[in-house]
Amino acid sequence: MGAVWLTPVFVSPMEDNGYDVADYYTINPLYGSNEDMDALIEAAGQRGIRIVMDLVYNHTSDQHEWFRESMQSRDNAYSDWYIWRDAKPDGSAPTNWRSIFGGSAWTWCESRQQYYLHTFAPSQPDLNWENPEVRQALYDIANYWVDKGVGGFRMDAIPYIKKPPVFKDGTPDGVDGMSDVHAMTVNTPGILDFLHEFRQQVQDGTDIFTVGEANGVGPDDLPDWVGSNGVFDMIFSFDHLVDGDNWRVEKQWKLTDVKQALTAAEAVTAEAGWYPVFFENHDKPRSIDSYFPEDADPVLAGRAMGTVLLTLRGTPFIYEGEELGYTNVAWPSIDDYNDLNSRSQYNSALSEGYTEAEALSFVHRHSRDNARTPMQWNAEANAGFTTGTPWLPVHDDYTSENAQAEAADPASVLAWYHRLADFRQANEVLCDGDYREVAASSEQVYAFTRENGDDKLLIAVNFSGSEAPVDLTGSGIASFEDVEVLLSSYDDIEATAGTPEALRPYEAIVARIR
Ligand code: NOJ
């Protein structure tokens, strides 16, 4: 059974790519109608595919009718649906919290003469989960879509829904004298009560699956969050991502950091719950640019990432275009970018004294729009995505990097994804086999075994541009004589002489252990 996760498709002013919902019951006309959604669920179901929706429950759009009411006065039916506080005696914001997109997490509202809290942009006011009416309204929305036949939900920004009982200033952590709202509110004790309630009211007794976007929920918390005693089926962990949140300072990372993070996640989910494997999403630049040097062959790099993605123990989440080997864009002006976080980061960089060229280079490297360009179907206008005007231009490379061209080319990234997906379907050990890391100290190679009784595979990926040995010490594999290469991303298994003693630059192999 496969599934397609749609980022939010609800009515929205689209200030934040739909993560600002104005009506949870209606499909955004930009995408279609509620009837189109019914038809999608039905047609996907006939092909064994479930549709997963993105529930944005920490906040709504400021255009949602709940907020429009709430902001009118301190005593209306929705007055307590959001988080309102009086100003400090000097008129300033109730706390010094910095929102995740930059600037204060509080915005003044003239009509109420109060501030409201927004963990993200001012157009995304946080809901007050302490109010049982709010919670019920949110569960009703989820149940409406469950009744429509959706296969599950991705729960957006979920660790922020519970706020601390007392709001206090945090220790300033930047030149703006503010303190990151994340540190002040993430995973606040009591949050699990809300989420258990969600599980009981929405998930129990259904066949849906849930995955939480849970930045800040660590391995120690995992048993409370996933698995039979948890609240979700899986949660995304972000420790293995190498694109840093601080755009001004290039994150220094080593392959061993990535491997350790993945191995730790595999270890905890071997005990409780299940692991969602991913390297890309709509919030991150393209993985080929993040994990590989500029001069790496992009097809081999795309194949290397795909190999890890499709062979680790867990559910692989393939992000649109990842299977085609998409890379970042670099547009000449900030005006070409739509992502509100990119614009905010650009402006903050200028106000900190960086030049326009420097600020733009941060955007080129880290912008979320790198991963938000339209899907490239073919070499026609707008890559066959639309006859209208897309929200962002298509990537320049669309005439060669498109689904149609790659489907016809056995040497493409897409062809490799197909081969690996077929292999995965045919080899159950990739679904349920144990994971064991091999050659953990190598800064060139990520290698691991998947084992289920006598069914054993070795996966090895060279992240470096030079030839790299695979060190079998401690792997339980006696010698390379016991290893037979079944797939190589170079498409010429013969050249490995059947063994992966030395991987070629950026080579990925899948081998059987005899
Ligand atoms: C996480 C989403 O993935 C991101 O795209 C969005 O901007 C924030 N949550 C706010 O909803």
PDB file of all heavy atoms in Angstrom, residues 458-491:
ATOM      1  N   LEU A 458      23.616  -6.230   2.154  1.00  0.00           N
ATOM      2  CA  LEU A 458      24.545  -5.159   2.527  1.00  0.00           C
ATOM      3  C   LEU A 458      24.268  -3.991   1.587  1.00  0.00           C
ATOM      4  O   LEU A 458      24.206  -4.173   0.366  1.00  0.00           O
ATOM      5  CB  LEU A 458      25.997  -5.616   2.349  1.00  0.00           C
ATOM      6  CG  LEU A 458      27.051  -4.508   2.477  1.00  0.00           C
ATOM      7  CD1 LEU A 458      27.199  -4.051   3.939  1.00  0.00           C
ATOM      8  CD2 LEU A 458      28.414  -4.998   1.950  1.00  0.00           C
ATOM      9  N   ILE A 459      24.086  -2.803   2.157  1.00  0.00           N
ATOM     10  CA  ILE A 459      23.906  -1.591   1.354  1.00  0.00           C
ATOM     11  C   ILE A 459      25.118  -0.709   1.646  1.00  0.00           C
ATOM     12  O   ILE A 459      25.473  -0.511   2.820  1.00  0.00           O
ATOM     13  CB  ILE A 459      22.598  -0.858   1.728  1.00  0.00           C
ATOM     14  CG1 ILE A 459      21.378  -1.684   1.286  1.00  0.00           C
ATOM     15  CG2 ILE A 459      22.515   0.498   1.036  1.00  0.00           C
ATOM     16  CD1 ILE A 459      20.831  -2.590   2.298  1.00  0.00           C
ATOM     17  N   ALA A 460      25.755  -0.206   0.610  1.00  0.00           N
ATOM     18  CA  ALA A 460      26.923   0.664   0.823  1.00  0.00           C
ATOM     19  C   ALA A 460      26.880   1.816  -0.167  1.00  0.00           C
ATOM     20  O   ALA A 460      26.656   1.605  -1.365  1.00  0.00           O
ATOM     21  CB  ALA A 460      28.216  -0.140   0.667  1.00  0.00           C
ATOM     22  N   VAL A 461      27.080   3.016   0.348  1.00  0.00           N
ATOM     23  CA  VAL A 461      26.978   4.221  -0.481  1.00  0.00           C
ATOM     24  C   VAL A 461      28.213   5.077  -0.244  1.00  0.00           C
ATOM     25  O   VAL A 461      28.526   5.420   0.903  1.00  0.00           O
ATOM     26  CB  VAL A 461      25.702   5.020  -0.121  1.00  0.00           C
ATOM     27  CG1 VAL A 461      25.611   6.290  -0.958  1.00  0.00           C
ATOM     28  CG2 VAL A 461      24.450   4.166  -0.315  1.00  0.00           C
ATOM     29  N   ASN A 462      28.901   5.417  -1.317  1.00  0.00           N
ATOM     30  CA  ASN A 462      30.083   6.269  -1.226  1.00  0.00           C
ATOM     31  C   ASN A 462      29.652   7.725  -1.396  1.00  0.00           C
ATOM     32  O   ASN A 462      29.232   8.127  -2.474  1.00  0.00           O
ATOM     33  CB  ASN A 462      31.078   5.854  -2.317  1.00  0.00           C
ATOM     34  CG  ASN A 462      32.370   6.643  -2.249  1.00  0.00           C
ATOM     35  OD1 ASN A 462      32.542   7.483  -1.361  1.00  0.00           O
ATOM     36  ND2 ASN A 462      33.278   6.369  -3.184  1.00  0.00           N
ATOM     37  N   PHE A 463      29.754   8.499  -0.335  1.00  0.00           N
ATOM     38  CA  PHE A 463      29.373   9.919  -0.404  1.00  0.00           C
ATOM     39  C   PHE A 463      30.533  10.786  -0.884  1.00  0.00           C
ATOM     40  O   PHE A 463      30.392  12.007  -0.943  1.00  0.00           O
ATOM     41  CB  PHE A 463      28.898  10.413   0.972  1.00  0.00           C
ATOM     42  CG  PHE A 463      27.440  10.108   1.228  1.00  0.00           C
ATOM     43  CD1 PHE A 463      27.036   8.834   1.590  1.00  0.00           C
ATOM     44  CD2 PHE A 463      26.463  11.091   1.080  1.00  0.00           C
ATOM     45  CE1 PHE A 463      25.692   8.545   1.802  1.00  0.00           C
ATOM     46  CE2 PHE A 463      25.126  10.818   1.283  1.00  0.00           C
ATOM     47  CZ  PHE A 463      24.735   9.539   1.650  1.00  0.00           C
ATOM     48  N   SER A 464      31.670  10.175  -1.182  1.00  0.00           N
ATOM     49  CA  SER A 464      32.835  10.990  -1.544  1.00  0.00           C
ATOM     50  C   SER A 464      33.167  10.856  -3.030  1.00  0.00           C
ATOM     51  O   SER A 464      32.722   9.921  -3.696  1.00  0.00           O
ATOM     52  CB  SER A 464      34.058  10.559  -0.727  1.00  0.00           C
ATOM     53  OG  SER A 464      34.632   9.402  -1.307  1.00  0.00           O
ATOM     54  N   GLY A 465      33.993  11.797  -3.507  1.00  0.00           N
ATOM     55  CA  GLY A 465      34.373  11.829  -4.912  1.00  0.00           C
ATOM     56  C   GLY A 465      35.596  10.986  -5.207  1.00  0.00           C
ATOM     57  O   GLY A 465      36.128  11.036  -6.317  1.00  0.00           O
ATOM     58  N   SER A 466      36.084  10.219  -4.213  1.00  0.00           N
ATOM     59  CA  SER A 466      37.202   9.321  -4.514  1.00  0.00           C
ATOM     60  C   SER A 466      36.808   7.886  -4.213  1.00  0.00           C
ATOM     61  O   SER A 466      35.812   7.640  -3.517  1.00  0.00           O
ATOM     62  CB  SER A 466      38.452   9.693  -3.716  1.00  0.00           C
ATOM     63  OG  SER A 466      38.124  10.399  -2.576  1.00  0.00           O
ATOM     64  N   GLU A 467      37.610   6.970  -4.725  1.00  0.00           N
ATOM     65  CA  GLU A 467      37.326   5.567  -4.466  1.00  0.00           C
ATOM     66  C   GLU A 467      37.362   5.304  -2.971  1.00  0.00           C
ATOM     67  O   GLU A 467      38.160   5.912  -2.261  1.00  0.00           O
ATOM     68  CB  GLU A 467      38.403   4.715  -5.135  1.00  0.00           C
ATOM     69  CG  GLU A 467      37.786   3.666  -5.986  1.00  0.00           C
ATOM     70  CD  GLU A 467      38.776   2.766  -6.662  1.00  0.00           C
ATOM     71  OE1 GLU A 467      39.632   2.193  -5.974  1.00  0.00           O
ATOM     72  OE2 GLU A 467      38.652   2.635  -7.883  1.00  0.00           O
ATOM     73  N   ALA A 468      36.489   4.445  -2.494  1.00  0.00           N
ATOM     74  CA  ALA A 468      36.433   4.251  -1.039  1.00  0.00           C
ATOM     75  C   ALA A 468      36.284   2.776  -0.706  1.00  0.00           C
ATOM     76  O   ALA A 468      35.432   2.089  -1.269  1.00  0.00           O
ATOM     77  CB  ALA A 468      35.258   5.024  -0.465  1.00  0.00           C
ATOM     78  N   PRO A 469      37.119   2.299   0.228  1.00  0.00           N
ATOM     79  CA  PRO A 469      36.994   0.901   0.643  1.00  0.00           C
ATOM     80  C   PRO A 469      35.781   0.723   1.560  1.00  0.00           C
ATOM     81  O   PRO A 469      35.356   1.669   2.215  1.00  0.00           O
ATOM     82  CB  PRO A 469      38.282   0.659   1.433  1.00  0.00           C
ATOM     83  CG  PRO A 469      38.676   2.014   1.928  1.00  0.00           C
ATOM     84  CD  PRO A 469      38.165   3.015   0.930  1.00  0.00           C
ATOM     85  N   VAL A 470      35.239  -0.473   1.585  1.00  0.00           N
ATOM     86  CA  VAL A 470      34.179  -0.777   2.561  1.00  0.00           C
ATOM     87  C   VAL A 470      34.816  -1.661   3.627  1.00  0.00           C
ATOM     88  O   VAL A 470      35.270  -2.762   3.334  1.00  0.00           O
ATOM     89  CB  VAL A 470      33.004  -1.527   1.892  1.00  0.00           C
ATOM     90  CG1 VAL A 470      31.893  -1.753   2.897  1.00  0.00           C
ATOM     91  CG2 VAL A 470      32.493  -0.752   0.691  1.00  0.00           C
ATOM     92  N   ASP A 471      34.876  -1.145   4.834  1.00  0.00           N
ATOM     93  CA  ASP A 471      35.514  -1.886   5.918  1.00  0.00           C
ATOM     94  C   ASP A 471      34.474  -2.807   6.577  1.00  0.00           C
ATOM     95  O   ASP A 471      33.503  -2.333   7.163  1.00  0.00           O
ATOM     96  CB  ASP A 471      36.053  -0.868   6.943  1.00  0.00           C
ATOM     97  CG  ASP A 471      36.740  -1.544   8.104  1.00  0.00           C
ATOM     98  OD1 ASP A 471      36.779  -2.799   8.119  1.00  0.00           O
ATOM     99  OD2 ASP A 471      37.208  -0.831   8.997  1.00  0.00           O
ATOM    100  N   LEU A 472      34.689  -4.099   6.462  1.00  0.00           N
ATOM    101  CA  LEU A 472      33.687  -5.054   6.965  1.00  0.00           C
ATOM    102  C   LEU A 472      33.887  -5.409   8.439  1.00  0.00           C
ATOM    103  O   LEU A 472      33.114  -6.198   8.991  1.00  0.00           O
ATOM    104  CB  LEU A 472      33.727  -6.336   6.133  1.00  0.00           C
ATOM    105  CG  LEU A 472      33.286  -6.196   4.666  1.00  0.00           C
ATOM    106  CD1 LEU A 472      33.373  -7.546   3.967  1.00  0.00           C
ATOM    107  CD2 LEU A 472      31.879  -5.642   4.564  1.00  0.00           C
ATOM    108  N   THR A 473      34.886  -4.797   9.097  1.00  0.00           N
ATOM    109  CA  THR A 473      35.168  -5.138  10.490  1.00  0.00           C
ATOM    110  C   THR A 473      33.910  -4.979  11.344  1.00  0.00           C
ATOM    111  O   THR A 473      33.250  -3.947  11.289  1.00  0.00           O
ATOM    112  CB  THR A 473      36.264  -4.201  11.052  1.00  0.00           C
ATOM    113  OG1 THR A 473      37.279  -4.074  10.080  1.00  0.00           O
ATOM    114  CG2 THR A 473      36.835  -4.731  12.356  1.00  0.00           C
ATOM    115  N   GLY A 474      33.619  -5.997  12.112  1.00  0.00           N
ATOM    116  CA  GLY A 474      32.474  -5.912  13.040  1.00  0.00           C
ATOM    117  C   GLY A 474      31.129  -6.090  12.365  1.00  0.00           C
ATOM    118  O   GLY A 474      30.096  -5.974  13.012  1.00  0.00           O
ATOM    119  N   SER A 475      31.122  -6.372  11.070  1.00  0.00           N
ATOM    120  CA  SER A 475      29.837  -6.458  10.354  1.00  0.00           C
ATOM    121  C   SER A 475      29.221  -7.839  10.443  1.00  0.00           C
ATOM    122  O   SER A 475      28.064  -8.031  10.085  1.00  0.00           O
ATOM    123  CB  SER A 475      30.050  -6.126   8.878  1.00  0.00           C
ATOM    124  OG  SER A 475      30.812  -7.158   8.284  1.00  0.00           O
ATOM    125  N   GLY A 476      30.026  -8.816  10.896  1.00  0.00           N
ATOM    126  CA  GLY A 476      29.531 -10.183  10.890  1.00  0.00           C
ATOM    127  C   GLY A 476      29.717 -10.836   9.521  1.00  0.00           C
ATOM    128  O   GLY A 476      29.376 -11.997   9.334  1.00  0.00           O
ATOM    129  N   ILE A 477      30.276 -10.082   8.547  1.00  0.00           N
ATOM    130  CA  ILE A 477      30.531 -10.656   7.222  1.00  0.00           C
ATOM    131  C   ILE A 477      32.007 -11.058   7.191  1.00  0.00           C
ATOM    132  O   ILE A 477      32.887 -10.223   7.398  1.00  0.00           O
ATOM    133  CB  ILE A 477      30.255  -9.629   6.100  1.00  0.00           C
ATOM    134  CG1 ILE A 477      28.848  -9.049   6.248  1.00  0.00           C
ATOM    135  CG2 ILE A 477      30.452 -10.257   4.726  1.00  0.00           C
ATOM    136  CD1 ILE A 477      28.585  -7.827   5.368  1.00  0.00           C
ATOM    137  N   ALA A 478      32.251 -12.343   6.962  1.00  0.00           N
ATOM    138  CA  ALA A 478      33.626 -12.833   7.092  1.00  0.00           C
ATOM    139  C   ALA A 478      34.535 -12.244   6.016  1.00  0.00           C
ATOM    140  O   ALA A 478      35.644 -11.792   6.310  1.00  0.00           O
ATOM    141  CB  ALA A 478      33.628 -14.360   7.020  1.00  0.00           C
ATOM    142  N   SER A 479      34.104 -12.221   4.771  1.00  0.00           N
ATOM    143  CA  SER A 479      34.976 -11.692   3.709  1.00  0.00           C
ATOM    144  C   SER A 479      34.131 -11.267   2.518  1.00  0.00           C
ATOM    145  O   SER A 479      32.949 -11.595   2.431  1.00  0.00           O
ATOM    146  CB  SER A 479      35.980 -12.758   3.270  1.00  0.00           C
ATOM    147  OG  SER A 479      35.402 -13.528   2.244  1.00  0.00           O
ATOM    148  N   PHE A 480      34.781 -10.570   1.587  1.00  0.00           N
ATOM    149  CA  PHE A 480      34.060 -10.124   0.392  1.00  0.00           C
ATOM    150  C   PHE A 480      33.603 -11.298  -0.471  1.00  0.00           C
ATOM    151  O   PHE A 480      32.732 -11.140  -1.310  1.00  0.00           O
ATOM    152  CB  PHE A 480      34.925  -9.151  -0.411  1.00  0.00           C
ATOM    153  CG  PHE A 480      34.939  -7.783   0.196  1.00  0.00           C
ATOM    154  CD1 PHE A 480      36.038  -7.310   0.877  1.00  0.00           C
ATOM    155  CD2 PHE A 480      33.819  -6.977   0.097  1.00  0.00           C
ATOM    156  CE1 PHE A 480      36.036  -6.057   1.461  1.00  0.00           C
ATOM    157  CE2 PHE A 480      33.802  -5.715   0.671  1.00  0.00           C
ATOM    158  CZ  PHE A 480      34.916  -5.259   1.363  1.00  0.00           C
ATOM    159  N   GLU A 481      34.215 -12.460  -0.254  1.00  0.00           N
ATOM    160  CA  GLU A 481      33.779 -13.655  -0.996  1.00  0.00           C
ATOM    161  C   GLU A 481      32.309 -13.952  -0.713  1.00  0.00           C
ATOM    162  O   GLU A 481      31.629 -14.552  -1.522  1.00  0.00           O
ATOM    163  CB  GLU A 481      34.578 -14.885  -0.530  1.00  0.00           C
ATOM    164  CG  GLU A 481      36.036 -14.647  -0.468  1.00  0.00           C
ATOM    165  CD  GLU A 481      36.760 -15.379  -1.569  1.00  0.00           C
ATOM    166  OE1 GLU A 481      36.695 -16.606  -1.540  1.00  0.00           O
ATOM    167  OE2 GLU A 481      37.360 -14.693  -2.431  1.00  0.00           O
ATOM    168  N   ASP A 482      31.839 -13.503   0.468  1.00  0.00           N
ATOM    169  CA  ASP A 482      30.448 -13.796   0.861  1.00  0.00           C
ATOM    170  C   ASP A 482      29.467 -12.746   0.367  1.00  0.00           C
ATOM    171  O   ASP A 482      28.293 -12.774   0.714  1.00  0.00           O
ATOM    172  CB  ASP A 482      30.336 -13.871   2.399  1.00  0.00           C
ATOM    173  CG  ASP A 482      31.137 -15.023   2.952  1.00  0.00           C
ATOM    174  OD1 ASP A 482      31.383 -15.971   2.188  1.00  0.00           O
ATOM    175  OD2 ASP A 482      31.531 -14.960   4.127  1.00  0.00           O
ATOM    176  N   VAL A 483      29.981 -11.777  -0.363  1.00  0.00           N
ATOM    177  CA  VAL A 483      29.134 -10.641  -0.757  1.00  0.00           C
ATOM    178  C   VAL A 483      28.961 -10.616  -2.273  1.00  0.00           C
ATOM    179  O   VAL A 483      29.941 -10.621  -3.014  1.00  0.00           O
ATOM    180  CB  VAL A 483      29.801  -9.315  -0.300  1.00  0.00           C
ATOM    181  CG1 VAL A 483      28.994  -8.118  -0.763  1.00  0.00           C
ATOM    182  CG2 VAL A 483      29.963  -9.294   1.210  1.00  0.00           C
ATOM    183  N   GLU A 484      27.723 -10.597  -2.726  1.00  0.00           N
ATOM    184  CA  GLU A 484      27.481 -10.554  -4.170  1.00  0.00           C
ATOM    185  C   GLU A 484      26.685  -9.295  -4.516  1.00  0.00           C
ATOM    186  O   GLU A 484      25.558  -9.122  -4.027  1.00  0.00           O
ATOM    187  CB  GLU A 484      26.687 -11.788  -4.586  1.00  0.00           C
ATOM    188  CG  GLU A 484      26.401 -11.826  -6.059  1.00  0.00           C
ATOM    189  CD  GLU A 484      25.256 -12.784  -6.404  1.00  0.00           C
ATOM    190  OE1 GLU A 484      24.738 -13.452  -5.488  1.00  0.00           O
ATOM    191  OE2 GLU A 484      24.864 -12.817  -7.571  1.00  0.00           O
ATOM    192  N   VAL A 485      27.250  -8.440  -5.326  1.00  0.00           N
ATOM    193  CA  VAL A 485      26.575  -7.182  -5.682  1.00  0.00           C
ATOM    194  C   VAL A 485      25.406  -7.481  -6.614  1.00  0.00           C
ATOM    195  O   VAL A 485      25.564  -8.144  -7.639  1.00  0.00           O
ATOM    196  CB  VAL A 485      27.550  -6.202  -6.356  1.00  0.00           C
ATOM    197  CG1 VAL A 485      26.819  -4.919  -6.756  1.00  0.00           C
ATOM    198  CG2 VAL A 485      28.693  -5.872  -5.429  1.00  0.00           C
ATOM    199  N   LEU A 486      24.218  -6.995  -6.226  1.00  0.00           N
ATOM    200  CA  LEU A 486      23.029  -7.219  -7.060  1.00  0.00           C
ATOM    201  C   LEU A 486      22.697  -5.985  -7.879  1.00  0.00           C
ATOM    202  O   LEU A 486      22.227  -6.088  -9.004  1.00  0.00           O
ATOM    203  CB  LEU A 486      21.827  -7.574  -6.176  1.00  0.00           C
ATOM    204  CG  LEU A 486      21.991  -8.777  -5.257  1.00  0.00           C
ATOM    205  CD1 LEU A 486      20.754  -8.955  -4.403  1.00  0.00           C
ATOM    206  CD2 LEU A 486      22.261 -10.040  -6.073  1.00  0.00           C
ATOM    207  N   LEU A 487      22.929  -4.807  -7.298  1.00  0.00           N
ATOM    208  CA  LEU A 487      22.625  -3.553  -7.991  1.00  0.00           C
ATOM    209  C   LEU A 487      23.759  -2.573  -7.740  1.00  0.00           C
ATOM    210  O   LEU A 487      24.230  -2.444  -6.609  1.00  0.00           O
ATOM    211  CB  LEU A 487      21.347  -2.918  -7.423  1.00  0.00           C
ATOM    212  CG  LEU A 487      20.015  -3.649  -7.564  1.00  0.00           C
ATOM    213  CD1 LEU A 487      18.956  -2.956  -6.711  1.00  0.00           C
ATOM    214  CD2 LEU A 487      19.582  -3.668  -9.017  1.00  0.00           C
ATOM    215  N   SER A 488      24.185  -1.895  -8.802  1.00  0.00           N
ATOM    216  CA  SER A 488      25.144  -0.804  -8.628  1.00  0.00           C
ATOM    217  C   SER A 488      24.594   0.418  -9.349  1.00  0.00           C
ATOM    218  O   SER A 488      24.066   0.302 -10.458  1.00  0.00           O
ATOM    219  CB  SER A 488      26.511  -1.160  -9.236  1.00  0.00           C
ATOM    220  OG  SER A 488      27.232   0.039  -9.491  1.00  0.00           O
ATOM    221  N   SER A 489      24.755   1.581  -8.727  1.00  0.00           N
ATOM    222  CA  SER A 489      24.229   2.802  -9.350  1.00  0.00           C
ATOM    223  C   SER A 489      25.005   3.161 -10.616  1.00  0.00           C
ATOM    224  O   SER A 489      24.601   4.024 -11.369  1.00  0.00           O
ATOM    225  CB  SER A 489      24.270   3.967  -8.358  1.00  0.00           C
ATOM    226  OG  SER A 489      25.594   4.191  -7.943  1.00  0.00           O
ATOM    227  N   TYR A 490      26.147   2.485 -10.853  1.00  0.00           N
ATOM    228  CA  TYR A 490      26.886   2.704 -12.106  1.00  0.00           C
ATOM    229  C   TYR A 490      26.313   1.845 -13.239  1.00  0.00           C
ATOM    230  O   TYR A 490      26.803   1.904 -14.356  1.00  0.00           O
ATOM    231  CB  TYR A 490      28.365   2.347 -11.915  1.00  0.00           C
ATOM    232  CG  TYR A 490      29.234   3.481 -11.420  1.00  0.00           C
ATOM    233  CD1 TYR A 490      28.986   4.094 -10.199  1.00  0.00           C
ATOM    234  CD2 TYR A 490      30.321   3.934 -12.153  1.00  0.00           C
ATOM    235  CE1 TYR A 490      29.794   5.120  -9.733  1.00  0.00           C
ATOM    236  CE2 TYR A 490      31.136   4.955 -11.703  1.00  0.00           C
ATOM    237  CZ  TYR A 490      30.866   5.541 -10.493  1.00  0.00           C
ATOM    238  OH  TYR A 490      31.684   6.550 -10.044  1.00  0.00           O
ATOM    239  N   ASP A 491      25.337   1.018 -12.937  1.00  0.00           N
ATOM    240  CA  ASP A 491      24.683   0.183 -13.955  1.00  0.00           C
ATOM    241  C   ASP A 491      25.595  -0.867 -14.577  1.00  0.00           C
ATOM    242  O   ASP A 491      25.260  -1.443 -15.604  1.00  0.00           O
ATOM    243  CB  ASP A 491      24.111   1.030 -15.118  1.00  0.00           C
ATOM    244  CG  ASP A 491      22.845   1.769 -14.698  1.00  0.00           C
ATOM    245  OD1 ASP A 491      22.097   1.218 -13.875  1.00  0.00           O
ATOM    246  OD2 ASP A 491      22.635   2.875 -15.192  1.00  0.00           O
TER     247      ASP A 491
END
